Amino acid sequence: RSGPLNVSHQGQLPAVAIGFNTPPGVALGDAVAAIRAAEQEMGLPPSVVTGFTGAAQSFQEAVAGQGLLVLAAVLIMYVVLGVLYESLIHPLTILSGLPAAAMGACATLWLCGLDLSVIAVIGVLLLIGLVKKNAIMIVDVALQRQRAGSPAFTAVREACLVRFRPIMMTTLAAGAGAVPLALGWGAAAELRQPLGLAVVGGLAVSQVLTLFVTPVLYLGFDGLARRFTSRRRQAPAAVGAPAE
């Protein structure tokens, strides 16, 4: 009797490969979600196992590791800043602007109708470094002034005045460099456009918040550190009677 010319296998099991292409303007993530929804509607038996290969598999692996990648980057930065400033509190002040930058990047991508792709995540990682730089400029000068004897409010105020121009210059330079990517000029611009939009949107939001939020958090964390230190000093020490 007639039979198939070949039987494809994957992992010692017979397998059938079904290829698909995405129409223009449809993201690969949307196609993967639509296929999963179709599988649930069909009600496949438990003996049928499905999975993605090729570009769809690479996309799923990249999406699965995005959150862990961002978390590892933030954790490494916290450890490095803690060692640099010999403090567990001031790194939190420096990293306080990251949520605003991430929300600005995601909001910009959403307004432009783009997904948080792998290229957009690369832009978010680049944005983390740019935003962290602004807070470092303020905290570094404030710590130097405070260690020289200035009060915390005076120190952070002078730091904002001294570092305002460098912060604006570096932020405008980084944003101007990302504008051509965000506008989508040149060949294969749709691949690089999410990176530019994430950087421009995140910088626009974080720049406004960093100049106002970072000094406030610096004063707040400094006050908490002083209260904790004073309570430790005021804690009664246990005194035992000398043995005869």
Side-chain angles (χ1 to χ4, degrees), residues 166-238:
I167 289 175
M168 293 300 298
M169 291 174 60
T170 54
T171 302
L172 291 177
V179 166
L181 299 178
L183 294 178
W185 292 342
E190 63 277 2
L191 178 64
R192 303 184 298 269
Q193 190 175 19
L195 189 150
L197 289 174
V199 173
V200 172
L203 283 177
V205 175
S206 64
Q207 181 65 26
V208 177
L209 296 179
T210 299
L211 297 176
F212 295 97
V213 174
T214 300
V216 174
L217 292 178
Y218 180 87
L219 294 175
F221 285 134
D222 184 78
L224 291 176
R226 292 179 179 276
R227 291 179 183 178
F228 181 74
T229 304
S230 62
R231 288 181 180 179
R232 290 185 59 184
R233 292 177 179 177
Q234 294 176 2

Side-chain angles (χ1 to χ4, degrees), residues 115-132:
D115 297 327
L116 187 63
S117 60
V118 178
I119 303 300
V121 172
I122 295 175
V124 172
L125 294 177
L126 177 62
L127 182 64
I128 288 175
L130 295 174
V131 174
K132 180 171 61 68

Side-chain angles (χ1 to χ4, degrees), residues 10 17-22 26-33 35-36 51-64 66 117-118 191:
Q10 184 176 0
I18 302 175
F20 66 93
N21 292 322
T22 56
V26 177
L28 183 58
D30 297 336
V32 171
I35 293 174
R36 289 301 187 188
F52 290 95
T53 60
Q57 182 182 10
S58 301
F59 170 79
Q60 286 187 326
E61 293 176 353
V63 171
Q66 286 180 2
S117 60
V118 178
L191 178 64

Side-chain angles (χ1 to χ4, degrees), residues 30-51:
D30 297 336
V32 171
I35 293 174
R36 289 301 187 188
E39 291 179 6
Q40 295 179 358
E41 294 178 0
M42 293 173 60
L44 295 175
S47 58
V48 178
V49 181
T50 61

